[in-house]
Structures are given as C-alpha cells and as structure tokens.
Amino acid sequence: AQRLPPPSAAPSAAPSAAPSQALTAEPSQTPTAAPSAAPTPAPRGCTDATASNHDAAALVDDGTCQWVYVLTYESDDGASVCEALLRFNASAPPPLSASSGVALG
C-alpha cells in the first residue's frame, strides 16, 4: 500500500466570528466609466481660401464666405474715374472679368 503525505493545514471554509458580531457582505462595486463629455464641435467658418474672409482654422464651411471686388471705370478721355465695391456672399465666387457687362451708372 502506498502512503500519502499528511494533508497540509488548509484555511477553514467559513470565517469564524464572535457571537456578538455579525458578518455582512458588501455588494461588489463594479467601476463604471465616467460619462464622456460631449465632443467639441469642429470650428466653423469660411473654408474657401479665395474668399476675402477665409478662416484657416475653420474645418466646416458655414456659408459665410465673401468675395470683394473693386471695379474701376475710366472714361475714354480719362477725365472721370468711377470705382465700385462689389461684395458677394455665395457658395462660390461669381465669375467676373473685364467683359462681365457690369454697368456703372
């Protein structure tokens, strides 16, 4: 017959308590993630680099782009000069050229 080693001292299965002391189990508390803050909105502004009010920090175009043109008209004899400031609010700059047909009056 094979001899087995004596069992080692194992802790008792139930903790002992003094008769006047009650054992209570605390509910386990699972850590919860803190509520995340709302995401910061992307900076809005005019994102078109050709606009006069281009905002390099803007990531979302908000439709506020403006294009400013100064038109100068000089009479044939050079005696009079008229300037006009044109400001456009649009989603794209208007196509202006010397032959746009803008009438100054």
Side-chain angles (χ1 to χ4, degrees):
Q2 185 179 10
R3 286 189 101 183
L4 297 175
S8 64
S12 64
S16 62
S20 63
Q21 192 178 33
L23 291 178
T24 59
E26 294 294 322
S28 76
Q29 295 181 358
T30 305
T32 57
S36 62
T40 304
R44 299 174 64 83
C46 177
T47 60
D48 190 323
T50 65
S52 60
N53 65 331
H54 173 248
D55 182 354
L59 299 177
V60 176
D61 195 297
D62 63 359
T64 60
C65 294
Q66 296 179 350
W67 292 267
V68 177
Y69 297 92
V70 176
L71 300 179
T72 303
Y73 170 79
E74 186 174 337
S75 63
D76 290 338
D77 62 4
S80 63
V81 175
C82 177
E83 287 189 352
L85 176 67
L86 303 176
R87 182 179 301 244
F88 295 94
N89 295 326
S91 59
L96 290 182
S97 66
S99 60
S100 294
V102 176
L104 301 176

Short mmCIF file of all heavy atoms in Angstrom, two decimals, residues 61-90:
data_model
loop_
_atom_site.label_atom_id
_atom_site.label_comp_id
_atom_site.label_asym_id
_atom_site.label_seq_id
_atom_site.Cartn_x
_atom_site.Cartn_y
_atom_site.Cartn_z
N ASP A 61 -17.37 74.45 -43.45
CA ASP A 61 -17.81 75.69 -44.10
C ASP A 61 -19.23 76.01 -43.64
O ASP A 61 -20.12 75.17 -43.71
CB ASP A 61 -17.77 75.54 -45.62
CG ASP A 61 -17.87 76.89 -46.31
OD1 ASP A 61 -18.92 77.57 -46.16
OD2 ASP A 61 -16.92 77.28 -46.98
N ASP A 62 -19.43 77.24 -43.16
CA ASP A 62 -20.74 77.63 -42.66
C ASP A 62 -21.50 78.55 -43.61
O ASP A 62 -22.52 79.11 -43.26
CB ASP A 62 -20.62 78.27 -41.29
CG ASP A 62 -19.82 79.57 -41.31
OD1 ASP A 62 -19.34 79.97 -42.39
OD2 ASP A 62 -19.66 80.17 -40.23
N GLY A 63 -21.00 78.71 -44.84
CA GLY A 63 -21.70 79.51 -45.84
C GLY A 63 -21.52 81.00 -45.69
O GLY A 63 -22.27 81.77 -46.28
N THR A 64 -20.54 81.45 -44.94
CA THR A 64 -20.35 82.89 -44.74
C THR A 64 -19.27 83.49 -45.62
O THR A 64 -18.89 84.64 -45.43
CB THR A 64 -20.00 83.18 -43.26
OG1 THR A 64 -18.78 82.49 -42.94
CG2 THR A 64 -21.11 82.75 -42.32
N CYS A 65 -18.75 82.73 -46.58
CA CYS A 65 -17.68 83.25 -47.43
C CYS A 65 -18.13 84.49 -48.19
O CYS A 65 -19.28 84.60 -48.62
CB CYS A 65 -17.23 82.18 -48.43
SG CYS A 65 -16.46 80.76 -47.64
N GLN A 66 -17.19 85.44 -48.34
CA GLN A 66 -17.46 86.67 -49.07
C GLN A 66 -16.30 86.93 -50.03
O GLN A 66 -15.15 86.65 -49.71
CB GLN A 66 -17.58 87.86 -48.12
CG GLN A 66 -18.73 87.77 -47.17
CD GLN A 66 -18.77 88.98 -46.23
OE1 GLN A 66 -17.85 89.78 -46.17
NE2 GLN A 66 -19.86 89.10 -45.51
N TRP A 67 -16.66 87.46 -51.16
CA TRP A 67 -15.67 87.88 -52.15
C TRP A 67 -15.90 89.34 -52.42
O TRP A 67 -17.02 89.79 -52.61
CB TRP A 67 -15.82 87.06 -53.44
CG TRP A 67 -15.44 85.64 -53.23
CD1 TRP A 67 -14.22 85.09 -53.44
CD2 TRP A 67 -16.27 84.57 -52.76
NE1 TRP A 67 -14.23 83.75 -53.13
CE2 TRP A 67 -15.49 83.41 -52.71
CE3 TRP A 67 -17.61 84.48 -52.37
CZ2 TRP A 67 -15.98 82.19 -52.29
CZ3 TRP A 67 -18.10 83.27 -51.94
CH2 TRP A 67 -17.28 82.13 -51.91
N VAL A 68 -14.83 90.12 -52.40
CA VAL A 68 -14.93 91.56 -52.59
C VAL A 68 -14.13 91.93 -53.84
O VAL A 68 -12.98 91.51 -53.99
CB VAL A 68 -14.39 92.32 -51.36
CG1 VAL A 68 -14.43 93.82 -51.59
CG2 VAL A 68 -15.19 91.94 -50.12
N TYR A 69 -14.76 92.67 -54.71
CA TYR A 69 -14.11 93.14 -55.94
C TYR A 69 -14.23 94.66 -55.99
O TYR A 69 -15.24 95.23 -55.61
CB TYR A 69 -14.80 92.57 -57.19
CG TYR A 69 -14.73 91.08 -57.29
CD1 TYR A 69 -15.75 90.27 -56.77
CD2 TYR A 69 -13.64 90.46 -57.90
CE1 TYR A 69 -15.68 88.89 -56.87
CE2 TYR A 69 -13.57 89.08 -57.99
CZ TYR A 69 -14.59 88.31 -57.47
OH TYR A 69 -14.52 86.95 -57.56
N VAL A 70 -13.19 95.31 -56.45
CA VAL A 70 -13.23 96.75 -56.71
C VAL A 70 -13.12 96.90 -58.21
O VAL A 70 -12.14 96.50 -58.84
CB VAL A 70 -12.08 97.50 -56.00
CG1 VAL A 70 -12.10 98.97 -56.37
CG2 VAL A 70 -12.17 97.31 -54.49
N LEU A 71 -14.17 97.47 -58.79
CA LEU A 71 -14.19 97.72 -60.24
C LEU A 71 -13.90 99.20 -60.47
O LEU A 71 -14.47 100.06 -59.81
CB LEU A 71 -15.55 97.36 -60.83
CG LEU A 71 -16.00 95.91 -60.66
CD1 LEU A 71 -17.38 95.72 -61.27
CD2 LEU A 71 -15.01 94.97 -61.32
N THR A 72 -13.03 99.46 -61.39
CA THR A 72 -12.70 100.84 -61.72
C THR A 72 -13.06 101.10 -63.18
O THR A 72 -12.69 100.33 -64.06
CB THR A 72 -11.19 101.10 -61.51
OG1 THR A 72 -10.87 100.78 -60.16
CG2 THR A 72 -10.84 102.55 -61.78
N TYR A 73 -13.81 102.19 -63.38
CA TYR A 73 -14.19 102.58 -64.74
C TYR A 73 -13.57 103.94 -65.01
O TYR A 73 -13.68 104.86 -64.22
CB TYR A 73 -15.71 102.66 -64.88
CG TYR A 73 -16.15 103.28 -66.16
CD1 TYR A 73 -16.15 102.55 -67.33
CD2 TYR A 73 -16.55 104.61 -66.21
CE1 TYR A 73 -16.54 103.13 -68.53
CE2 TYR A 73 -16.94 105.20 -67.41
CZ TYR A 73 -16.93 104.45 -68.57
OH TYR A 73 -17.30 105.02 -69.74
N GLU A 74 -12.91 104.02 -66.14
CA GLU A 74 -12.33 105.30 -66.54
C GLU A 74 -12.93 105.68 -67.88
O GLU A 74 -13.04 104.85 -68.79
CB GLU A 74 -10.81 105.17 -66.64
CG GLU A 74 -10.11 106.48 -66.92
CD GLU A 74 -8.59 106.34 -66.87
OE1 GLU A 74 -8.08 105.40 -66.23
OE2 GLU A 74 -7.93 107.17 -67.50
N SER A 75 -13.34 106.93 -67.99
CA SER A 75 -13.94 107.38 -69.25
C SER A 75 -12.90 107.36 -70.37
O SER A 75 -11.69 107.34 -70.11
CB SER A 75 -14.53 108.78 -69.10
OG SER A 75 -13.50 109.71 -68.81
N ASP A 76 -13.38 107.37 -71.61
CA ASP A 76 -12.49 107.30 -72.76
C ASP A 76 -11.47 108.45 -72.79
O ASP A 76 -10.33 108.26 -73.21
CB ASP A 76 -13.30 107.31 -74.06
CG ASP A 76 -14.07 106.01 -74.24
OD1 ASP A 76 -13.68 104.99 -73.63
OD2 ASP A 76 -15.08 106.02 -74.97
N ASP A 77 -11.88 109.62 -72.34
CA ASP A 77 -10.95 110.75 -72.36
C ASP A 77 -10.11 110.84 -71.09
O ASP A 77 -9.27 111.73 -70.95
CB ASP A 77 -11.70 112.07 -72.60
CG ASP A 77 -12.70 112.39 -71.51
OD1 ASP A 77 -12.77 111.64 -70.51
OD2 ASP A 77 -13.40 113.41 -71.64
N GLY A 78 -10.32 109.92 -70.12
CA GLY A 78 -9.54 109.91 -68.89
C GLY A 78 -9.93 110.98 -67.91
O GLY A 78 -9.26 111.17 -66.90
N ALA A 79 -11.01 111.69 -68.20
CA ALA A 79 -11.40 112.81 -67.34
C ALA A 79 -12.13 112.35 -66.09
O ALA A 79 -12.11 113.06 -65.08
CB ALA A 79 -12.28 113.78 -68.12
N SER A 80 -12.79 111.21 -66.11
CA SER A 80 -13.54 110.78 -64.92
C SER A 80 -13.25 109.31 -64.61
O SER A 80 -13.05 108.50 -65.50
CB SER A 80 -15.04 110.99 -65.13
OG SER A 80 -15.48 110.20 -66.20
N VAL A 81 -13.23 109.04 -63.35
CA VAL A 81 -12.99 107.68 -62.87
C VAL A 81 -14.09 107.35 -61.87
O VAL A 81 -14.46 108.16 -61.04
CB VAL A 81 -11.61 107.57 -62.19
CG1 VAL A 81 -11.41 106.19 -61.58
CG2 VAL A 81 -10.50 107.89 -63.17
N CYS A 82 -14.60 106.17 -62.00
CA CYS A 82 -15.64 105.71 -61.07
C CYS A 82 -15.22 104.34 -60.53
O CYS A 82 -14.79 103.48 -61.29
CB CYS A 82 -16.98 105.59 -61.80
SG CYS A 82 -18.30 104.96 -60.77
N GLU A 83 -15.31 104.19 -59.23
CA GLU A 83 -14.99 102.90 -58.63
C GLU A 83 -16.23 102.34 -57.94
O GLU A 83 -17.03 103.08 -57.39
CB GLU A 83 -13.86 103.02 -57.61
CG GLU A 83 -12.52 103.25 -58.24
CD GLU A 83 -11.37 103.14 -57.24
OE1 GLU A 83 -11.62 103.05 -56.03
OE2 GLU A 83 -10.23 103.15 -57.69
N ALA A 84 -16.35 101.06 -58.02
CA ALA A 84 -17.48 100.39 -57.36
C ALA A 84 -16.92 99.22 -56.54
O ALA A 84 -16.04 98.50 -57.00
CB ALA A 84 -18.47 99.88 -58.38
N LEU A 85 -17.43 99.09 -55.35
CA LEU A 85 -17.05 97.97 -54.49
C LEU A 85 -18.18 96.95 -54.56
O LEU A 85 -19.33 97.26 -54.25
CB LEU A 85 -16.86 98.45 -53.05
CG LEU A 85 -16.56 97.38 -52.02
CD1 LEU A 85 -15.19 96.77 -52.27
CD2 LEU A 85 -16.64 97.96 -50.63
N LEU A 86 -17.86 95.77 -55.01
CA LEU A 86 -18.85 94.70 -55.10
C LEU A 86 -18.52 93.64 -54.06
O LEU A 86 -17.40 93.16 -53.98
CB LEU A 86 -18.85 94.08 -56.50
CG LEU A 86 -19.10 95.02 -57.67
CD1 LEU A 86 -18.97 94.26 -58.98
CD2 LEU A 86 -20.48 95.64 -57.56
N ARG A 87 -19.50 93.29 -53.27
CA ARG A 87 -19.33 92.25 -52.26
C ARG A 87 -20.34 91.15 -52.54
O ARG A 87 -21.51 91.41 -52.71
CB ARG A 87 -19.56 92.82 -50.87
CG ARG A 87 -19.35 91.81 -49.76
CD ARG A 87 -19.56 92.45 -48.42
NE ARG A 87 -18.63 93.54 -48.27
CZ ARG A 87 -17.67 93.59 -47.36
NH1 ARG A 87 -17.54 92.61 -46.51
NH2 ARG A 87 -16.86 94.60 -47.28
N PHE A 88 -19.84 89.93 -52.59
CA PHE A 88 -20.69 88.78 -52.88
C PHE A 88 -20.67 87.81 -51.72
O PHE A 88 -19.61 87.45 -51.22
CB PHE A 88 -20.22 88.04 -54.15
CG PHE A 88 -20.34 88.87 -55.40
CD1 PHE A 88 -19.27 89.62 -55.86
CD2 PHE A 88 -21.53 88.88 -56.11
CE1 PHE A 88 -19.38 90.38 -57.00
CE2 PHE A 88 -21.64 89.64 -57.25
CZ PHE A 88 -20.57 90.39 -57.71
N ASN A 89 -21.84 87.38 -51.32
CA ASN A 89 -21.97 86.28 -50.36
C ASN A 89 -22.58 85.14 -51.15
O ASN A 89 -23.70 85.23 -51.61
CB ASN A 89 -22.90 86.65 -49.21
CG ASN A 89 -22.35 87.77 -48.36
OD1 ASN A 89 -21.15 87.87 -48.18
ND2 ASN A 89 -23.22 88.60 -47.85
N ALA A 90 -21.84 84.11 -51.32
CA ALA A 90 -22.32 82.99 -52.13
C ALA A 90 -21.54 81.75 -51.75
O ALA A 90 -20.61 81.79 -50.96
CB ALA A 90 -22.14 83.30 -53.62
#
